[in-house]
Amino acid sequence: MFDTLSERLGGILDRLTGRGALSEADVDAAMREIRRALLEADVALDVVRDFTARVREQAIGATVVKSVTPGQMVVKIVHDELIATLGADGQGIDLNAPPPVAIMMVGLQGSGKTTTTAKLARRLATRDKRKVLMASLDVRRPAAMEQLAVLGRDIAVDTLPVVAGQTPPQIAARALEAARLGGYDIVLLDTAGRTTLDDEMMAEAAEVKRTANPHEVLLVADSLTGQDAVNLARAFDTRVGLTGIVLTRVDGDGRGGAALSMRAVTGKPIKLIGTGEKTDALEDFHPSRIAGRILGMGDVVSLVEKAAATIDAEKAARVAERMRKGAFDLSDLREQLTQMQKLGGLGGLMGMMPGVAKIKNQIASANLDDKLLKRQVAIIDSMTRGERKNPDILKASRKKRIAGGAGVKVEEINKLLKMHRTMADMMKAMGGKAGKRGPMAGLANMMGFGGGMPSPEDMAKLAEKMPGGLPGGMANLPKDLPKNFPGLGGETPGGGLPPGFPGLPGLGGKPPLPFGLPPGKKK
């Protein structure tokens, strides 16, 4: 959603960082361009004025003028002000109340209330281990209650049985009573919506709130509606009273103005964002991470959190052990490709990696899409068990058969085999202790392949050798990562992570990504 804004701001700030000194005229010119970029991204005018005024005030101050790299200081100021505009500290769902905790979902029809209710229920049940009951209060939209019941069966979460003829406040009261009797921790109330704001809907929502007395009232707003979403939030907060906002369709091609304006205009925090259609596509809203993505700094912390949640640590550790022994076959490669798909595919991974935004056009011209991963998995699935275990037996006739089974050309099979050989050779070279098994074993120890985590002294030496130092955010990684999470190699001081791990091919200078383009080479 922030691609266009990210591209514009990146270009403006790159021009500033390329200069040895900044005059007030340079800063003013940059501020005009930033103002234009934010307005084109559909950010509210008042928010844009305040943002550029705060940035300009700091950018022409003594700190920047005397700085060795004034352009970098301006980038930091813009980054900090973006975080302040988005809401400074991210706030999650507040469950600190006696059970059953009622959470009321409000919003217009078509914004994704029912789907978001199911996403939130799945998140609370699986991640927070809470017993959740969902109740549909929409008595007008055809099959609304049935839709929630179907979603409940899909995610294994209970839904309130439908009783015909009841009003929404009566259903809310019945849901709370059923939750108390059934020992539920949380009740999610999915209210009715309209295509536009009207008094009847607002009055109904206010009556449900009086009856249920919910601990959280969340507005589900469609981020693609831009400034209308901000006006909607203001109207709901005035009539019903909100505690937070959930933005849906953040993975769409909207311009990002709603997210940037919402907190500043309404004063209510964005608590969650919907990043896809599946029931697991719901994320916490972290202002600092979103600001990093907008400025092309990546989001390594979210990437590692996502990896910790989706990758089977034991399975990944077994694959890592096979890699160390040099026994990396095509079945292991298939496992790696599947894990990449779970992490959001090539697009999802690259969007979170620092610096990738600047080579977005080159990536697009190379036709690197998620279908590539699916084709490569299909090629491996078309092989026999013996062929996966020993790729050397794949001659012309076998390749022709596999190509027919996978619906690809023989050339794609050759590319896959070449990529596998490159990965296997590199893993073999990194296996064992330094000096005993290959020239790259020492590097392997440094990167967490088998020698444990590098010492602080080693990390300092590595930082000196790397241009720009170690990637930002490494010291702030989640502390609840599994101990056997691939690449950690033992105890991790400060919750950090080595600059790569075998569960994700291609990260941190390890095996190239599975599209056959080694780092540093142009197609």
Side-chain angles (χ1 to χ4, degrees), residues 15 43 51 68 90 93 132 224 230 257 276 285 312 324 388 435 500 514:
R15 288 195 289 276
V43 181
F51 178 85
V68 178
I93 301 297
V132 183
L224 297 186
V230 181
F285 183 79
D312 184 335
R324 275 193 285 267
R388 293 184 203 176

Side-chain angles (χ1 to χ4, degrees), residues 76-233:
K76 182 184 183 303
I77 291 167
V78 171
H79 181 255
D80 292 345
E81 289 302 328
L82 269 177
I83 294 172
T85 303
L86 287 165
D89 298 322
Q91 297 183 26
I93 301 297
D94 182 12
L95 302 176
N96 189 20
V101 180
I103 299 176
M104 180 176 164
M105 314 291 283
V106 299
L108 293 183
Q109 188 173 314
S111 60
K113 277 195 311 301
T114 303
T115 307
T116 302
T117 302
K119 288 180 181 180
L120 181 56
R122 173 176 173 168
R123 180 189 179 88
L124 293 169
T126 55
R127 196 189 73 166
D128 299 331
K129 309 300 180 189
R130 303 299 179 103
K131 190 177 180 183
V132 183
L133 176 67
M134 298 190 296
S136 175
L137 278 58
D138 192 346
V139 296
R140 289 180 176 80
R141 182 166 65 89
M145 293 182 170
E146 287 77 5
Q147 180 190 356
L148 193 66
V150 169
L151 288 169
R153 287 196 295 272
D154 289 345
I155 61 175
V157 171
D158 294 335
T159 53
L160 187 72
V162 177
V163 175
Q166 286 192 322
T167 62
Q170 289 172 337
I171 299 172
R174 181 163 61 91
L176 289 170
E177 183 63 26
R180 277 190 285 269
L181 294 174
Y184 288 92
D185 299 314
I186 296 166
V187 183
L188 294 177
L189 303 174
D190 178 26
T191 62
R194 303 284 193 283
T195 53
T196 56
L197 288 169
D198 64 19
D199 290 335
E200 187 182 354
M201 176 182 66
M202 291 296 192
E204 183 182 287
E207 190 177 350
V208 169
K209 185 181 179 185
R210 281 194 297 273
T211 302
N213 191 24
H215 190 62
E216 287 267 22
V217 181
L218 300 178
L219 170 69
V220 181
D222 185 350
S223 60
L224 297 186
T225 56
Q227 285 306 302
D228 277 348
V230 181
N231 298 331
L232 174 74

Side-chain angles (χ1 to χ4, degrees), residues 427-456:
M427 293 302 168
K428 197 168 184 179
M430 286 184 171
K433 294 183 179 179
K436 287 188 178 180
R437 289 188 60 190
M440 298 184 72
L443 177 64
N445 285 345
M446 280 291 292
M447 292 164 64
F449 264 80
M453 280 294 296
S455 66

